[in-house]
Amino acid sequence: MERNRHTLRLACITVLISALMLSLNGCSTEKTENGGKARYIFLFIGDGMGASHVAAAESYLSYKAGKIGGEQLTFTQFPVLGMATTYSANRQITCSSAAGTAISCGEKTKNGYLCVDPEGNRLESITYKLKREGYKIGIMSTVPVNHATPAAFYGHNKSRYAFYEIAREIPQSGFDFFAGDGFIDYFGKDGNEEPITEYLERNGVKICFSERQYEEVKDTARQIVLCQPGSEGSNAEDYVVEDGAAEDLSLGEMLSDCIDFLGDEEPFFIMCEGGEIDWDAHDNVTMTMINDIFELDSAVDVAYEFYKEHPDETLIIVTADHETGGIALGGPGGTSKKGNAIYWEVYENNEPGEDGSFSAEKNSELNREANIGWTTTGHAGGPVPVYAAGKGATRFSGRMDNTDIPLRIMNVKQMPD
């Protein structure tokens, strides 16, 4: 089933990329007639997605098109390209909560901290600042709502693993739309707390576990959390990727629902994370990691369609919080004959087990045969790409630190065009 879903999604993405190629060539880097910051801001974070992860995804697209190279994702066709350093306050190699804090708050913190400074003082996210300026806020991910990256845009804690306490900040944030794969510590860390969904509902947040439920409440809800159907009444696991059910929402569908809920009468800021890119990269699982990048790119397509309707007012940024796995297009073969090619057919000619995955040993074997290299099952410390299009996009070119990203979004009014 997973292979069929992957093949169908790849076919759809290929068609979308072909359709968008010409329009992207005319994509303006920014429109400055109205002055000020963008009215509609999309910030996409591919968790763990370094430049080599993107290169692997485009190499596979090219292979499917019968080429050595040249095929592109939607976001790599954006006219502005930069790079961001990712170190944290106490480590060269950051974790997601420290990197999320940097991208959200514009300040470094220690690994494991979430939107507090190294001394434990509360920091303020760009989302809270924009909310005060009248922006509506949407936060979503392919992983649980209270995981590190989405949580960095509404929560605060000296431990990123205080999942239950972090989720309890959703009502008081006042933010409008959340979506993801349920919650970690659904019943609290000890398993005997009030279910987090009951707490949220009791505090005015509507919880939806399907499109049908979303449609029923969207017109009257003040705050919504849209969860994957399979997450109802259960505790999401940290860093466990499972085969999605047929009724699961894609990231693009979550984003479409978010845009539908927020509307375009008021300005908005949306953070949209492809969280499972990182999880599969931790396991060095090449093809599912690539599929996760395709899913993120499909969500970017949704934002780009919105951009075409509001070209003078929309900014789209695509970046990563850090790199995971140290993937390389080329393994131990070096410059030998085998080292001059990537054998994508190796993955396509091997069926996963009944659970939809390969064993660690089999996965390593496939990577070697395909000539894909991985250096670690942890994070890596290199800079990550920053792609941008739309109003104010040129401010994201060149070298920057991840803390510069929210500052450049917020300081558009003070920066020359």
Side-chain angles (χ1 to χ4, degrees), residues 45-48 140-143 251 272-278 292 296:
I45 298 177
D47 199 311
M140 70 204 65
S141 178
T142 54
V143 302
L251 192 60
C272 184
E273 183 205 23
E276 290 187 344
I277 299 169
D278 172 69
D292 294 333
L296 178 70

Side-chain angles (χ1 to χ4, degrees), residues 3-21 60-61 64 71-74 77 250 252-253 291 293-302 305:
R3 274 177 66 96
N4 292 337
R5 289 179 66 210
H6 169 73
T7 302
L8 177 60
R9 177 172 290 164
L10 177 62
C12 293
I13 289 168
T14 302
V15 170
L16 281 169
I17 288 174
S18 298
L20 285 168
M21 186 78 80
Y60 182 67
L61 277 179
K64 296 297 289 185
E71 292 297 298
Q72 288 186 264
L73 299 161
T74 295
Q77 299 173 59
S250 69
E253 289 169 331
N291 194 45
I293 292 178
F294 291 160
E295 180 164 7
L296 178 70
D297 197 52
S298 291
V300 175
D301 289 337
V302 173
E305 288 301 315

Side-chain angles (χ1 to χ4, degrees), residues 183-188 231-238:
F183 298 91
I184 304 176
D185 289 349
Y186 193 92
F187 301 98
S231 66
E232 185 170 9
S234 62
N235 183 49
E237 295 187 69
D238 194 14

Side-chain angles (χ1 to χ4, degrees), residues 79-209:
V80 175
L81 174 62
M83 58 181 287
T85 51
T86 64
Y87 61 92
S88 72
N90 66 334
R91 295 286 188 275
Q92 175 67 51
I93 299 176
T94 188
C95 76
S96 289
S97 64
T101 298
I103 297 172
S104 176
C105 302
E107 293 192 40
K108 298 289 188 184
T109 194
K110 294 179 181 178
N111 282 14
Y113 281 26
L114 184 75
C115 293
V116 295
D117 69 17
E119 286 70 47
N121 301 304
R122 188 182 177 105
L123 298 173
E124 186 175 49
S125 168
I126 186 176
T127 46
Y128 287 93
K129 296 173 182 176
L130 289 170
K131 187 69 174 178
R132 286 199 300 273
E133 292 190 10
Y135 282 68
K136 291 188 173 182
I137 305 297
I139 298 168
M140 70 204 65
S141 178
T142 54
V143 302
V145 178
N146 53 348
H147 210 268
T149 303
F153 288 83
Y154 69 88
H156 309 78
N157 208 286
K158 287 182 71 173
S159 173
R160 59 176 288 187
Y161 300 108
F163 298 116
Y164 191 83
E165 290 79 5
I166 289 167
R168 284 167 59 99
E169 293 193 58
I170 288 174
Q172 68 192 54
S173 73
F175 299 158
D176 304 272
F177 184 96
F178 298 79
D181 191 17
F183 298 91
I184 304 176
D185 289 349
Y186 193 92
F187 301 98
K189 189 168 290 293
D190 297 327
N192 54 12
E193 299 277 358
E194 174 186 19
I196 189 59
T197 52
E198 291 185 14
Y199 172 85
L200 296 176
E201 289 269 9
R202 188 161 51 79
N203 284 274
V205 182
K206 294 293 185 182
I207 311 296
C208 307
F209 290 95

